[in-house]
Amino acid sequence: MTPGKLLPRRGEAAGLLVVLVLLVLEALALGEASDPDRPVIGAALIGAAGSGLLLVAALLVGRRLAARRMLPLPPPGPDGPVYSTRALEGFPMEAVRPLLLTEDGPHLNQLYAAWVLALGGHTAPWIGRRLDLPVPTARLLVDAVRERRRGPNRGGPDRGGPKPPPPNRC
């Protein structure tokens, strides 16, 4: 788990800050209030604390549900589904080997999954968020997929490659 996962997002932080400010203001009001007003202010203080707990619980449940949400399968490629056993052809093992040898590096299965998602056309930030990978690692795989698709003979006539075939018009 990365340290950034524990920090709240911008909207979550704003909601929590509002609840904390309300609690502080109500505590100050409770200290300055006269005896007849204290039960009303105390009830408002309990309500604000309860709403804060509900907000924290909703945020935690929402994050857990978002983490459990299934990832969509990539669309089928020209050779059938890109998540078949042939999907790992062209995987840049030499480029990712230094990452695998680091102490806190990603697991090979994470990189395989990122490769398949990159073949499906997903962006590096999206892959990084879904698989808890650093974005530069995901970008390395996305760029390798882009190079693989470009290929050595797919450069077009001005790049030394053959002219692409005309589109099929039936």
Side-chain angles (χ1 to χ4, degrees):
M1 174 179 267
T2 59
K5 290 231 175 202
L6 298 176
L7 297 175
R9 295 181 187 104
R10 186 174 300 186
E12 297 170 352
L16 290 172
L17 187 63
V18 166
V19 170
L20 287 175
V21 167
L22 284 175
L23 285 172
V24 168
L25 289 176
E26 289 175 2
L28 290 174
L30 186 63
E32 297 294 322
S34 61
D35 286 338
D37 295 332
R38 284 188 180 208
V40 174
I41 294 174
L45 191 61
I46 290 172
S51 67
L53 289 175
L54 285 176
L55 180 64
V56 169
L59 293 176
L60 291 175
V61 167
R63 281 190 178 191
R64 180 165 293 205
L65 289 177
R68 294 173 109 190
R69 198 172 298 138
M70 287 183 43
L71 296 175
L73 291 175
D79 301 325
V82 293
Y83 45 88
S84 68
T85 55
R86 294 184 55 196
L88 295 179
E89 289 178 6
F91 181 77
M93 182 55 92
E94 294 305 317
V96 299
R97 188 178 313 274
L99 300 172
L100 293 170
L101 298 176
T102 61
E103 186 175 322
D104 294 328
H107 296 285
L108 184 59
N109 288 336
Q110 275 184 304
L111 296 176
Y112 284 159
W115 174 255
V116 171
L117 291 173
L119 285 173
H122 294 286
T123 62
W126 188 89
I127 294 170
R129 275 194 315 271
R130 297 287 191 223
L131 298 180
D132 195 25
L133 284 173
V135 175
T137 302
R139 185 162 289 121
L140 174 93
L141 295 171
V142 169
D143 291 343
V145 166
R146 204 172 291 136
E147 287 297 318
R148 176 183 175 209
R149 287 191 179 141
R150 208 174 291 151
N153 293 328
R154 296 187 187 174
D158 22 340
R159 294 191 180 155
K163 189 173 182 180
N168 290 337
R169 295 203 172 119
C170 297

